[in-house]
């Protein structure tokens, strides 16, 4: 598996955690911790930009479910950004497409927040 690259960009309107690479058991806990840390800052919205993620196993989806629950508790919108079939297909098969707020682009995610 390729290493995971994670960067964070915070603004008044949202915090974007941009992820690229492959999400598996070796990196999912670290990614979850990064997202949890950003939630502690009470952002207006937390967006996980997964548009450059090529693989996500069950541990990654579990981390996203946990973050969504914590974001809901905190009253922070949590949005996933991806058009990757490698993520959308398993989400659909697991019924997670009904759980997550998923947008194809960062721009469409931000547009949804302003509506």
């Amino acid at each position: 598996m390729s290493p995971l690259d994670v960067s964070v960009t915070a603004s008044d309107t949202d915090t974007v955690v941009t992820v690229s690479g492959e999400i598996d058991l070796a990196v999912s806990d670290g990614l979850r911790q990064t997202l949890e840390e950003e939630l502690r800052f009470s952002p207006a919205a937390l967006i996980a930009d997964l548009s450059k993620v090529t693989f996500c196993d069950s541990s990654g989806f579990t981390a996203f479910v946990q973050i969504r629950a914590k974001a809901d508790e905190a009253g922070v919108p949590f949005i996933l950004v991806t058009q990757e079939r490698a993520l959308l297909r398993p989400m659909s098969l697991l019924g997670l497409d009904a759980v997550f707020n998923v947008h194809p682009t960062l721009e469409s995610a931000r547009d949804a927040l302003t509506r």
Side-chain angles (χ1 to χ4, degrees):
M1 299 268 171
S2 66
L4 193 68
D5 292 319
V6 179
S7 65
V8 177
T9 307
S11 71
D12 291 340
T13 57
D14 58 45
T15 295
V16 179
V17 178
T18 303
V19 183
S20 62
E22 298 178 343
I23 302 171
D24 63 8
L25 186 58
V27 298
S28 60
D29 193 50
L31 176 58
R32 181 189 51 75
Q33 289 175 6
T34 297
L35 291 164
E36 281 181 351
E37 185 175 320
E38 293 308 317
L39 269 178
R40 287 188 200 109
F41 292 111
S42 300
L46 181 61
I47 301 172
D49 185 349
L50 310 176
S51 56
K52 294 182 181 174
V53 171
T54 56
F55 173 81
C56 185
D57 72 5
S58 61
S59 68
F61 288 116
T62 298
F64 293 132
V65 168
Q66 293 169 337
I67 292 301
R68 182 188 176 273
K70 289 181 186 240
D72 282 352
E73 286 175 16
V76 175
F78 179 57
I79 299 174
L80 300 180
V81 173
T82 187
Q83 293 184 62
E84 290 293 325
R85 187 173 197 270
L87 276 75
L88 295 174
R89 178 101 170 111
M91 271 193 253
S92 176
L93 291 172
L94 295 168
L96 294 175
D97 53 346
V99 172
F100 294 124
N101 186 353
V102 182
H103 288 270
T105 65
L106 184 55
E107 294 74 29
S108 69
R110 285 179 166 151
D111 286 346
L113 289 169
T114 60
R115 281 188 256 140

